Amino acid sequence: MNYLNKKTVEDIDVAGKHVLVRCDFNVPMKDGVITDTKRIVGALPTIKYLVDHNAKVILCSHMGRPHNIFNDVVKLDKKEKKKIDAMPEAEQAEATAKALEAAKGDVKKFSLAPVAAELSKLLGKEVIMAKDVVGPDAKAKAAALKDGEVLMLENVRFHAEETKNDPDFAKALASMAEIYVNDAFGTAHRAHASTAGVADYLPAVCGYLIQKEISIMGGALENPKRPFVAILGGAKVSDKIGVINNLIEKVDTLIIGGGMAYTFFKALGHEIGTSICEDDKVELAKEMMDKAKAKGINFLIPVDNVVATEYSADSEWKIVDSDDIPEGWMGLDIGPKSRELFANAVKNAGTVVWNGPMGVSEWENFANGTIAVAKAVADSNAISIIGGGDSAAAVEKLGFADKMTHISTGGGASLEFLEGLELPGIACLNEK
Ligand SMILES: Nc1ncnc2c1ncn2[C@@H]1O[C@H](COP(=O)(O)OP(=O)(O)O)[C@@H](O)[C@H]1O
Ligand SMILES: O=C(OP(=O)(O)O)[C@H](O)COP(=O)(O)O
C-alpha cells in the first residue's frame, strides 16, 4: 500500500484554526500509572508542530475497550460473560447483576486524564482536560481555546457510536474543528468515527508519527535494501498467515520461530510432543514451504529447541533437535544451534523486519532465543524494523531499543501494514 502521497500537517495552514488530532493514547496502565509512554512520546512531534504554528489543538483518542457510559448502557466484558455463561443457571442472574455493578465502577480506569497529565509534563505546558467527548464541557472548552493551547477530549470509546463509525458521532467530532489530523498509527487499522469517519467532514491530513511509520515500513516493503530478512514468531500461524503470504513475495530469507514453528515441524512429519500446533494449518504450512522453495527463498525454521515438561516458567527443560522432540515435552524456545543459524542470517542483512518472539520470552528460561535474535538484529548494520506488540516489548526490556531503526507503535496495525492490507485510518486522508 503506497501512502506516501498523503497530505501532512505541513501541507495545510493550521494557524488560528481548531485542529482535531486523533492520537493513539491507548497506553498500558497499572493502578492508575502509565507503564509505557512510547505512544505519548511518539505523538509529540505533531502536537509540538501544531502548538508552534498557533493551532488550537483538540486531541482525541480511545483508551482500552470500555462500555458505552454516556448512553447509560453497561455491557459485560466478553470474558466475564463467558465465565458467567459457564456457571450453573441458578447463579447466573446474581453474578450478572454483580458484574454489571462492578463494570459501572470500572469506567474511571478508562479516562484519558492520566494521559493529559503525562502529556502536559512532556510538553511543558498545560493540557486542558474535557469531562466529555462531544458534550457541553468539550464543546465549551474547545470554543474557548486560544492559539497554541491544547485540549484533550475524553475517551472516544465512551460512546458506542465510535467503533460503529456512526456518521452523526463523526459529524459531532468534526463540528468542533476545521482540520482533522490523524496521527494514531496504532489504531489506523480501525475504521472508526474518530479514525476514519471524521475525514468525510473535514480536510484530513496525517501527522508525523503516521508519516514516519509508513515511510519506514513502506520503504522496506517497496524498495528494501537487500538481503531482506523477515523474522516471524509468536504463538500462532493463523495470526501471521497474511504477513507470511505478503512477505514471501518480497524477502530473500524468511525465518520462522516461536510457537508457530511447530505447525511447520508437523508439516515436515516431525513428532512435536505437546508443543502448540494448529492442526488445521499444517497443510498451509506445507504450501508455504513449497512456495518458498519454488521462489528460491532461504526458508529457515529452528533446528533445535528448548523443550519443557509443562507450560510453566519453572518447568524442567532440556535441549533437543527438531526431529527429536520426545513424547510429553513441549517446545517453548529455539535452541542454541537455531540461535546461531538465525543470527548468521541476520548478520549481513540489508533490511530486517521482525514480528513475534522466538519463544515464551516472558519466562527467563525460555527467553534466550528472543534475546539472541534481538542482539543479532541490534548488532547488524541492517535497517531494522520491529513490529509492535510482544517483540517490541522484548526489544525494549532487553535494552536494544536504541539500536533499532524503527519500533512500530502499532501491534495489529503494523501486522496489517506488513500484510499489505489497506489501513482505513490512512486511506481516508487527502492526497497531495
Ligand atoms: N513455543 C511457544 N509456545 C507457546 N507460546 C509461545 C511460544 N513462543 C512464543 N509464544 C507466545 O507467543 C506470544 C506472542 O505472540 P504474538 O502475540 O503473535 O507476538 P507479537 O505481539 O510480537 O505479534 C507470547 O505470549 C509468547 O509467550
Ligand atoms: O493497542 C492497540 O492495538 P495493539 O495492541 O494491536 O497495538 C490499539 O490502540 C488498537 O486498540 P484496539 O485493538 O482496541 O482497537
Side-chain angles (χ1 to χ4, degrees), residues 323-405:
D323 56 1
D324 205 16
I325 299 179
E327 210 184 310
W329 291 71
M330 64 179 75
L332 294 185
D333 194 9
I334 60 172
K337 283 191 269 185
S338 312
R339 286 172 219 154
E340 203 182 325
L341 178 73
F342 293 179
N344 272 334
V346 164
K347 205 184 267 168
N348 298 315
T351 306
V352 179
V353 169
W354 178 19
N355 181 287
M358 295 292 100
V360 184
S361 57
E362 301 93 320
W363 297 336
E364 206 182 327
N365 286 345
F366 309 104
N368 289 322
T370 303
I371 295 174
V373 167
K375 192 167 177 329
V377 178
D379 287 346
S380 76
N381 291 319
I383 296 166
S384 48
I385 297 167
I386 317 296
D390 282 325
S391 20
V395 164
E396 277 155 12
K397 198 173 131 202
L398 296 167
F400 293 122
D402 290 349
K403 297 213 170 135
M404 305 300 177
T405 311

Side-chain angles (χ1 to χ4, degrees), residues 8-38:
T8 79
V9 277
E10 291 180 18
D11 296 316
I12 198 158
D13 182 14
V14 298
K17 307 239 174 81
H18 283 88
V19 179
L20 177 72
V21 189
R22 177 43 155 113
C23 296
D24 187 338
F25 288 143
N26 182 28
V27 291
M29 306 259 282
K30 201 162 184 251
D31 305 327
V33 178
I34 299 167
T35 54
D36 180 356
T37 58
K38 187 172 62 184

